[in-house]
Amino acid sequence: MSKARLMQGNEACAEGAIAAGVNFFAGYPITPSTEIAETMARLLPKHGGKFVQMEDEIASMGAILGASLAGSKVMDATSGPGFSLKQELIGYAACAEIPCVLVDVQRVGPSTGQPTSPSQGDVMQARWGTHGDHPIIALAPWSVRETYDATVMAVNYAERFRTPVILLMDEVIGHLREKVELPDHVEVYPRRKPKKTRAEGYEPFAPDEDLVPNVADFGQGYRIHVTGLIHDDTGFPSGSPEVTESSIRRLHEKIARAGEEIIHTESYFMDDAEYAVVSFGGSARTAYEAVRMEREKGRKVGMLRLMTIWPFADKAIEALSAKVKGILVAELNYGQIVNEVRRAAHSDCKVSLCGKYDMKSFEPEDITSAIEKMIAGGNA
């Protein structure tokens, strides 16, 4: 481990990306993610990488996809309005299977909303923001050190599955400063390489045993056609219903096959819990304190924290709902993850929402009050 440092969440994100091998960043500054771009601009050239400030968010997304196809590990960072602008090219990356990491440091409201105010309102946009059937991986860290680790994880997942991965941060974590000790080395997933030569009949989108293709980087002597149209193993568009069905199914199954391995959750105070709070990201920090306070009052309350947001932790929620009488979902929005919890939970387990969307992060009392109301039988 390196020596202890005082570090901001956004800075930890940038340093985690570089540790994982990211060597190209294109972005457009937007609060509350700006420090990620600033840190990458300062550090990437020292590690042989390239930083480019583009003219807008759409161009930024296009630039990282081009760099990824040329062999770079890539990342972009933005907030809600910029994330919306990137959605078409996120879909392109999913269909063309281009590895990339998108960081969304969320802020309040639709449109320009309330810049630099804490929110978790992009949960559903992360999953469904781009059109068509597509899988996605989204991770939500709750501390500065976990931001570093989750960024490394995001880069590795992008390379392993050749897919866009969303780091779904929030302003609370992005601007939080904590004492951290970072590892000297991290495990890095290498860029996938072709297993056949052109003479052996190499097809860039022919899937490997794990259903992920080994697409050659541009400039390596292979002929590659990349398109956002549904394509066969050669990469060229196909109008076949069979190819279309097979392609869309494989995009989903290459991630679904990993199963629980990529679904990360943590439980607290759950040994004898009769009620539970589900939370994630910055809100989970306050939820943890609220649960601790309720324990001091003698109430048997536990907590499940979601770090993987997508794919959703269906099995963990199902198991939780079989154990407790009620679940309270604490999230900084009008109610998004709560509906996924209701879907995954047993029907006889009541699921309530503790939502907040007034530019302020949770106070412990916001959540303790909702817990006590849930235990008393009311709607939180």
Side-chain angles (χ1 to χ4, degrees):
M1 292 286 182
S2 60
K3 68 178 182 180
R5 299 165 58 188
L6 182 66
M7 181 178 289
Q8 188 188 63
N10 283 342
E11 295 169 340
C13 175
E15 296 211 17
I18 292 171
V22 168
N23 56 4
F24 185 88
F25 181 101
Y28 185 82
I30 178 174
T31 58
S33 74
T34 305
E35 294 86 359
I36 298 175
E38 291 172 344
T39 305
M40 294 297 270
R42 186 176 74 252
L43 297 182
L44 259 183
K46 298 178 181 179
H47 292 83
K50 298 289 189 294
F51 170 93
V52 183
Q53 179 172 318
M54 303 298 290
E55 63 267 32
D56 58 38
E57 290 86 353
I58 299 173
S60 302
M61 188 71 196
I64 68 167
L65 296 190
S68 181
L69 287 169
S72 294
K73 290 187 177 182
V74 302
M75 189 174 84
D76 186 6
T78 189
S79 189
F83 194 44
S84 298
L85 290 169
K86 297 176 189 297
Q87 290 298 335
E88 182 181 1
L89 284 173
I90 292 174
Y92 183 89
C95 187
E97 298 181 86
I98 305 173
C100 56
V101 174
L102 292 306
V103 186
D104 175 16
V105 188
Q106 300 161 90
R107 66 197 215 186
V108 175
S111 188
T112 310
Q114 293 285 5
T116 321
S117 295
S119 175
Q120 294 172 318
D122 300 349
V123 170
M124 288 299 165
Q125 187 186 13
R127 178 65 187 90
W128 302 110
T130 193
H131 53 278
D133 287 318
H134 65 283
I136 205 74
I137 298 173
L139 309 174
W142 82 323
S143 69
V144 173
R145 172 56 198 270
E146 190 173 81
T147 298
Y148 179 93
D149 296 335
T151 306
V152 172
M153 191 181 297
V155 176
N156 285 341
Y157 286 166
E159 296 293 328
R160 173 181 168 185
F161 298 106
R162 289 196 64 95
T163 192
V165 176
I166 310 302
L167 193 63
L168 199 59
M169 293 172 61
D170 53 66
E171 187 276 337
V172 175
I173 301 304
H175 286 160
L176 175 71
R177 293 187 183 273
E178 289 183 313
K179 175 183 174 182
V180 296
E181 292 184 29
L182 301 181
D184 295 323
H185 303 284
V186 298
E187 184 176 346
V188 174
Y189 197 95
R191 174 58 58 94
R192 303 175 74 109
K193 300 297 182 183
K195 294 182 178 180
K196 291 182 178 180
T197 66
R198 286 173 56 190
E200 292 169 331
Y202 171 68
E203 293 181 322
F205 289 92
D208 212 339
E209 293 82 3
D210 60 359
L211 301 182
V212 183
N214 298 306
V215 182
D217 298 331
F218 282 12
Q220 299 300 307
Y222 292 85
R223 293 176 179 172
I224 304 168
H225 188 276
V226 177
T227 176
L229 289 163
I230 296 294
H231 48 273
D232 59 21
D233 291 349
T234 69
F236 284 89
S238 171
S240 162
E242 291 77 20
V243 170
T244 301
E245 181 181 20
S246 174
S247 296
I248 293 174
R249 183 189 306 114
R250 182 178 62 78
L251 289 178
H252 285 81
E253 289 186 357
K254 70 178 182 180
I255 293 173
R257 271 194 179 189
E260 296 300 301
E261 178 192 350
I262 64 172
I263 298 177
H264 307 284
T265 64
E266 285 190 346
S267 297
Y268 311 90
F269 309 107
M270 282 303 303
D271 288 346
D272 62 344
E274 296 178 357
Y275 296 89
V277 177
V278 171
S279 195
F280 58 96
S283 297
R285 300 172 68 91
T286 312
Y288 180 93
E289 176 63 13
V291 169
R292 189 195 64 78
M293 291 166 63
E294 289 299 291
R295 280 280 168 174
E296 289 184 348
K297 298 175 185 176
R299 298 188 176 96
K300 294 181 178 180
V301 182
M303 174 176 157
L304 177 70
R305 179 175 71 89
L306 307 177
M307 198 271 262
T308 302
I309 304 299
W310 306 111
F312 194 67
D314 284 15
K315 290 184 178 179
I317 295 297
E318 181 182 15
L320 180 68
S321 66
K323 177 180 175 62
V324 299
K325 301 174 183 177
I327 297 172
L328 179 75
V329 180
E331 51 183 332
L332 285 175
N333 56 50
Y334 200 75
Q336 295 190 22
I337 280 291
V338 65
N339 294 319
E340 288 298 297
V341 174
R342 286 172 177 150
R343 178 187 58 77
H346 289 291
S347 58
D348 56 351
C349 179
K350 184 176 181 180
V351 178
S352 301
L353 169 67
C354 179
K356 192 175 175 71
Y357 38 89
D358 61 357
M359 299 177 60
K360 300 177 182 178
S361 56
F362 281 114
E363 296 289 340
E365 291 74 19
D366 296 329
I367 300 174
T368 57
S369 175
I371 291 171
E372 291 167 16
K373 191 171 184 180
M374 174 179 65
I375 294 174
N379 291 320

